[in-house]
Amino acid sequence: MAGLFHRRLRLRTLHAGEERPTPSPTAAPERRPFSRVTPEDMAFFSKIIPGRTITDPDILEASNVDWLKSVRGFSEVLLRPQTTEEVSQILGYCNSRNLAVSPQGGNTGLVGGSVPVYDEIILSTALMNNVLNFDSVSGILSCQAGCVLENLSLYLEDSDYIMPLDLGAKGSCHIGGNVATNAGGLRLLRYGSLRGTVLGLEVVLADGRVLDCLATLRKDNTGYDLKQLFIGSEGTLGVITAVTILCPRKPKAVNVAFLGCESFEQLLQTFQLCRGMLGEILSAFEFLDRECMRLLNTHLKLANPITDCPFYIVIETSGSNPTHDEEKLHQFLEEAMTSSQVIDGTVATEEAKIKALWSLRERVTEALTHDGFTYKYDISLPVERIYQLVTDMREHLGDRAKSVVGYGHVGDGNLHLNITSPTKDPDLLASIEPFVYEWTARFQGSISAEHGLGLKKRNYIYYSKASLAVALMGNIKIMLDPKGILNPYKTLPDDLQ
Amino acid sequence: MAGLFHRRLRLRTLHAGEERPTPSPTAAPERRPFSRVTPEDMAFFSKIIPGRTITDPDILEASNVDWLKSVRGFSEVLLRPQTTEEVSQILGYCNSRNLAVSPQGGNTGLVGGSVPVYDEIILSTALMNNVLNFDSVSGILSCQAGCVLENLSLYLEDSDYIMPLDLGAKGSCHIGGNVATNAGGLRLLRYGSLRGTVLGLEVVLADGRVLDCLATLRKDNTGYDLKQLFIGSEGTLGVITAVTILCPRKPKAVNVAFLGCESFEQLLQTFQLCRGMLGEILSAFEFLDRECMRLLNTHLKLANPITDCPFYIVIETSGSNPTHDEEKLHQFLEEAMTSSQVIDGTVATEEAKIKALWSLRERVTEALTHDGFTYKYDISLPVERIYQLVTDMREHLGDRAKSVVGYGHVGDGNLHLNITSPTKDPDLLASIEPFVYEWTARFQGSISAEHGLGLKKRNYIYYSKASLAVALMGNIKIMLDPKGILNPYKTLPDDLQ
């Protein structure tokens, strides 16, 4: 990539005003001068959504704190609309009153994007959980934003379809939140990103107007594709109220192999071999390191099904012909074993064993929460580089960290680097950041592959994006939410809030 | 879809100001008060790109007229930059001088989007045709915008990769134009749209600033995905100068079947059967009707390889295991023949025969140009509906049209409806439009599935998009190109130009 890198540098020097600003510290942003909720405001909300305006501190607690328990807001009002019209009326009112709003789905985000920072009103999609339509010929599903991902998967099962995305948080996360954060997950390798599978969105804008882009067509080139603006904008540009999404057919055969490698280089060789030999039936290629396995053993009592190895791979195949798929998988495994790329392995074809193998990958996040306070990094890099960051970080931190682990989506060049310590440790954090971001920027990586920026990473955007790009994002925010009431302090850096 | 339809109506009535405006006629727009090119301007351009400022009327002719010879501009200046920096300087200058610019790739567009309307300066990407980088591990290609699609395919062949898109115009169209128009084409069913496969773009904005979104990562959630704004914006928001795109591995086996059906219902049954039995190896499911075959016979002397039928299907499979693929295809064909869904067919596995079968689908557009003046419509609909529009149109027009033919991408619900007459015929046009648009809107279809709006369809956008959506598009245009110098009179309706 040397050519591109030079080119970029050249382009940057063209525009003298565009040097990368020094990132601000992660410190909490200052509260902006939004109005505070008054009894008159509460009366208005109660009229629109009677019985669904929550002020009970115990219920609010769960909505004020993120899943990782790493950030906390101080909201005193949680609203639970059921319809688009209700969301429209709420936002129209909040905008006119200059009341800030924090939209919330399943609150499973990892970057503090889904909870308020100060006293923003929490607007929950929890009661917007109806399927609107499913067309079993085309596989196109339309539903409200608050549908839980796993419920949608179960709903589709009868019709022999699956959701095009799957992730560890599926039991809690909402499809609206998935779209708002452009969630990646475990099936991206096979079914592509939400930018391709989401066919339509209905969005309520900051001023309450309803933007109807709820098409159910695979192709539509009539003007600019506005829905793309809202995919991945983390609730800062509008509140997604409904989604149409293209669902793939349920594969007739699914196989999972859990393999062990001696080195990351062997793991990459296995990946290349696998792409060639499994081709179109490869649906996931995930990895975890020995440290992850130790945490799974220690904290969740999950047993390692194969020999102890430095690296473990989860390979999933999904296809339309069980015999063909097994044959392909068998040939691949034979080749991988013969060439010593893989030193041990096990294969599952029944559902229970498949789930057990997948849980070794899916439950690493959970195991980490038991290990201590976790510093989480979600990095995109050229695939050859992804583990080098873990090794360098381990060396860099020495014994200051409790655990330094790496796992993630090899197929997408996406590393989850996690560092734990017994308690929150500002000194450790100062050793990790900006080291991790500078390392990533050096190889033109992304400092947030799939988690988004939310509150925690907002000020690091300049490590991955040019100043002009960030400035344009600020213009888009002003265009769609001139008062900045939607999910303030998130996504955009402090200088553009 | 009744539920959704009702919901939409309900939402619309919420916002009284948002009724659909009556579409303006297709008449040419009025020239806007841009400056005219002066000798001083020419001197400036000659300094930036010496020897590449064209004013020869013979050379300009080909750039002023579109591929269909249906629209003509009157530009007197064609500029051929080689680098991003040159484009940047040209646009910076044009913006300050209020000179309008019509960006042009391979000029293969079908909606008059790629040629000037009045005297706009033509900015051609023809000399920006270098590959910048190809990473054979990840399959990520970076290249300048003027690379011809077919040349990129040939370039990738050595590394065993293919481009994720393929279309009839591949020998002339530029990748930058493909991205600017969000081209669909023949492989969309398998590899998805450019919104998923384009990983990065470099774009020169109207004022000459260079927006560097040229990432080479599969996943990147750091802020809003700006590149999506430019995909499908038809050169009205910026000039794409470089593209990075994710390329799939070249399949080890490709098979093509050419089949005949008695009815469109049987064709749809065959499609469903095919999706189930060919599953992940299905890479195209295209159709043409008997009228298309007649034109291929008459104008291009292409012979029908099977029995005469009302409908023909082209099915392509691409996979990693030739034996498995042939077995799947064989089982599918046996089932389709036994159940009488298909009445005749032929299969090709060698390249020459595959090309011959594909040309029956790919050369329909060419055959139409020999049949007379062609009115072209590119419609997205629920797949069950797509042929009903052809039947209804035939009945509606009676003998006023010379030919009424239907072909397209069944897998994407995308119909190409074409109507010919011996010469340009305003009366015939008045019978076709707005009939065709009203019919499409009635079934929530898109009036432009893949061709875009360009000059010809700009005023029909309201048939597929809500007023609020179109108004937001206008705001985006103003944000990125406040003087409106980029590809004026295109994409947005006259009331927003």
Side-chain angles (χ1 to χ4, degrees), chain A residues 84-153:
Chain A
T84 303
E85 288 82 343
E86 288 171 358
V87 175
S88 167
Q89 288 181 59
I90 291 167
L91 287 187
Y93 181 84
C94 289
N95 192 56
S96 69
R97 276 275 298 124
N98 199 31
L99 289 164
V101 175
S102 176
Q104 189 173 78
N107 193 13
T108 61
L110 300 173
V111 290
S114 59
V115 290
V117 177
Y118 290 100
D119 56 346
E120 299 88 89
I121 292 168
I122 302 172
L123 184 70
S124 164
T125 52
L127 301 184
M128 303 183 71
N129 54 5
N130 292 312
V131 170
L132 302 174
N133 192 70
F134 179 64
D135 179 338
S136 62
V137 176
S138 62
I140 295 170
L141 173 76
S142 304
C143 65
Q144 284 190 296
C147 292
V148 170
L149 180 59
E150 193 165 47
N151 293 347
L152 292 175
S153 298

Side-chain angles (χ1 to χ4, degrees), chain B residues 89-143:
Chain B
Q89 288 181 61
I90 291 167
L91 287 187
Y93 181 84
C94 288
N95 192 55
S96 68
R97 277 274 297 124
N98 199 30
L99 289 164
V101 174
S102 176
Q104 190 173 77
N107 194 13
T108 61
L110 300 173
V111 290
S114 59
V115 290
V117 177
Y118 290 102
D119 57 346
E120 298 87 89
I121 291 168
I122 302 172
L123 184 71
S124 164
T125 52
L127 300 184
M128 302 183 72
N129 53 6
N130 292 312
V131 169
L132 301 174
N133 192 70
F134 179 65
D135 178 338
S136 63
V137 176
S138 62
I140 296 170
L141 173 76
S142 304
C143 65

Side-chain angles (χ1 to χ4, degrees), chain A residues 167-342:
Chain A
L167 53 155
K170 61 187 157 216
S172 314
C173 63
H174 295 184
I175 187 70
N178 295 146
V179 174
T181 57
N182 190 27
L186 306 164
R187 286 180 186 154
L188 188 129
L189 178 69
R190 175 66 169 274
Y191 301 113
S193 87
L194 291 174
R195 301 206 172 271
T197 51
V198 170
L199 302 181
L201 289 183
E202 182 189 71
V203 179
V204 180
L205 301 181
D207 61 7
R209 286 182 297 170
V210 179
L211 179 65
D212 177 4
C213 298
L214 210 49
T216 54
L217 304 164
R218 275 201 77 162
K219 282 163 132 179
D220 179 19
N221 278 349
T222 51
Y224 313 148
D225 190 0
L226 296 177
K227 70 173 182 290
Q228 298 291 343
L229 276 177
F230 302 96
I231 300 175
S233 67
E234 304 184 89
T236 62
L237 298 179
V239 175
I240 295 170
T241 47
V243 173
T244 64
I245 190 163
L246 182 66
C247 302
R249 284 281 186 102
K250 187 180 175 178
K252 290 189 189 118
V254 174
N255 299 294
V256 169
F258 191 85
L259 310 175
C261 293
E262 267 311 347
S263 67
F264 199 74
E265 208 184 345
Q266 285 187 350
L267 183 150
L268 288 179
Q269 284 165 6
T270 310
F271 178 49
Q272 286 299 81
L273 183 73
C274 181
R275 292 212 298 174
M277 294 187 74
L278 296 180
E280 64 280 358
I281 66 165
L282 180 63
S283 53
F285 192 105
E286 301 278 314
F287 94 103
L288 49 148
D289 65 9
R290 179 181 269 155
E291 282 292 279
C292 290
M293 185 60 83
R294 184 177 61 76
L295 300 185
L296 291 168
N297 298 161
T298 312
H299 301 300
L300 306 179
K301 311 288 170 224
L302 292 179
N304 178 0
I306 62 171
T307 322
D308 177 58
C309 294
F311 295 96
Y312 302 94
I313 310 173
V314 182
I315 290 172
E316 187 191 75
T317 68
S318 312
S320 60
N321 184 314
T323 318
H324 289 172
D325 291 6
E326 272 178 42
E327 214 173 292
K328 285 192 182 85
L329 186 59
H330 182 79
Q331 283 169 3
F332 155 70
L333 290 173
E334 204 167 78
E335 177 72 25
M337 295 282 197
T338 315
S339 62
S340 305
Q341 283 172 8
V342 160

Side-chain angles (χ1 to χ4, degrees), chain A residues 1 10-11 85 133 137 202 214 219-222 224 236 252 275-276 380 414 446 448 450 465, chain B residues 1 8 10-11 85 133 137 202 219-222 224 236 252 275-276 380 414 446 448 450 465:
Chain A
M1 301 308 305
R10 195 150 39 88
L11 289 178
E85 288 82 343
N133 192 70
V137 176
E202 182 189 71
L214 210 49
K219 282 163 132 179
D220 179 19
N221 278 349
T222 51
Y224 313 148
T236 62
K252 290 189 189 118
R275 292 212 298 174
S380 239
N414 183 184
S446 166
S448 182
E450 59 177 10
K465 289 286 155 71
Chain B
M1 303 306 304
R8 283 189 173 201
R10 195 149 40 86
L11 288 177
E85 288 83 343
N133 192 70
V137 176
E202 182 189 70
K219 281 163 133 179
D220 179 19
N221 278 349
T222 51
Y224 313 148
T236 62
K252 290 188 190 118
R275 291 211 299 173
S380 239
N414 182 185
S446 166
S448 184
E450 59 177 10
K465 289 285 155 72

Side-chain angles (χ1 to χ4, degrees), chain B residues 147-434:
Chain B
C147 292
V148 170
L149 179 59
E150 193 165 49
N151 293 348
L152 292 175
S153 298
L154 291 170
Y155 174 88
L156 291 174
E157 224 165 59
D158 292 340
S159 317
D160 259 350
Y161 279 89
I162 60 172
M163 289 297 285
L165 79 161
D166 186 24
L167 53 156
K170 61 187 157 216
S172 313
C173 62
H174 295 184
I175 187 70
N178 295 147
V179 175
T181 58
N182 189 26
L186 306 164
R187 285 180 187 155
L188 188 129
L189 178 68
R190 175 66 170 273
Y191 302 113
S193 88
L194 292 173
R195 300 205 173 272
T197 51
V198 170
L199 302 181
L201 289 182
E202 182 189 70
V203 180
V204 180
L205 301 181
D207 61 7
R209 285 182 298 170
V210 179
L211 179 66
D212 177 3
C213 299
L214 210 49
T216 54
L217 304 164
R218 276 201 76 162
K219 281 163 133 179
D220 179 19
N221 278 349
T222 51
Y224 313 148
D225 190 0
L226 296 176
K227 68 173 184 291
Q228 298 291 344
L229 276 177
F230 302 95
I231 300 176
S233 66
E234 304 184 89
T236 62
L237 299 180
V239 175
I240 294 170
T241 47
V243 174
T244 63
I245 190 164
L246 182 66
C247 301
R249 284 281 185 102
K250 187 179 174 178
K252 290 188 190 118
V254 174
N255 298 294
V256 169
F258 191 85
L259 310 175
C261 292
E262 266 312 347
S263 68
F264 198 73
E265 209 184 345
Q266 286 187 351
L267 184 149
L268 288 179
Q269 284 165 5
T270 310
F271 178 49
Q272 286 298 82
L273 183 72
C274 182
R275 291 211 299 173
M277 295 187 73
L278 296 180
E280 63 280 358
I281 66 165
L282 180 64
S283 54
F285 192 105
E286 301 278 315
F287 94 103
L288 49 148
D289 65 9
R290 180 181 267 153
E291 281 292 280
C292 290
M293 185 59 84
R294 184 176 62 76
L295 301 185
L296 290 168
N297 298 161
T298 312
H299 301 300
L300 305 179
K301 310 290 169 223
L302 292 178
N304 178 359
I306 62 170
T307 322
D308 176 59
C309 295
F311 295 97
Y312 302 94
I313 310 173
V314 182
I315 290 171
E316 188 190 75
T317 68
S318 311
S320 60
N321 184 314
T323 319
H324 289 171
D325 291 6
E326 272 177 43
E327 213 172 292
K328 285 193 181 84
L329 185 59
H330 181 78
Q331 284 168 2
F332 156 70
L333 289 173
E334 204 166 77
E335 177 71 25
M337 294 282 197
T338 315
S339 62
S340 305
Q341 282 173 9
V342 159
I343 49 177
D344 194 15
T346 177
V347 174
T349 48
E350 323 119 46
E351 213 174 310
K353 204 181 161 200
I354 285 177
K355 275 201 173 164
L357 291 182
W358 258 124
S359 69
L360 293 166
R361 164 65 187 81
E362 288 187 294
R363 294 183 70 191
V364 174
T365 315
E366 187 189 341
L368 279 158
T369 63
H370 295 279
D371 199 53
F373 190 88
T374 310
Y375 296 96
K376 299 187 89 69
Y377 302 92
D378 165 40
I379 307 289
S380 239
L381 284 166
V383 67
E384 314 87 76
R385 298 265 178 216
I386 62 176
Y387 203 73
Q388 196 186 326
L389 174 56
V390 183
T391 316
D392 284 7
M393 183 60 83
R394 249 181 220 136
E395 197 179 319
H396 174 72
L397 295 179
D399 55 10
R400 278 172 289 175
K402 187 176 174 194
S403 309
V404 177
V405 316
Y407 60 100
H409 318 284
V410 178
D412 315 324
N414 182 185
L415 167 76
H416 295 312
L417 165 68
N418 283 252
I419 298 153
T420 65
S421 69
T423 54
K424 212 165 177 166
D425 180 345
D427 288 345
L428 176 63
L429 182 60
S431 302
I432 303 172
E433 301 179 8

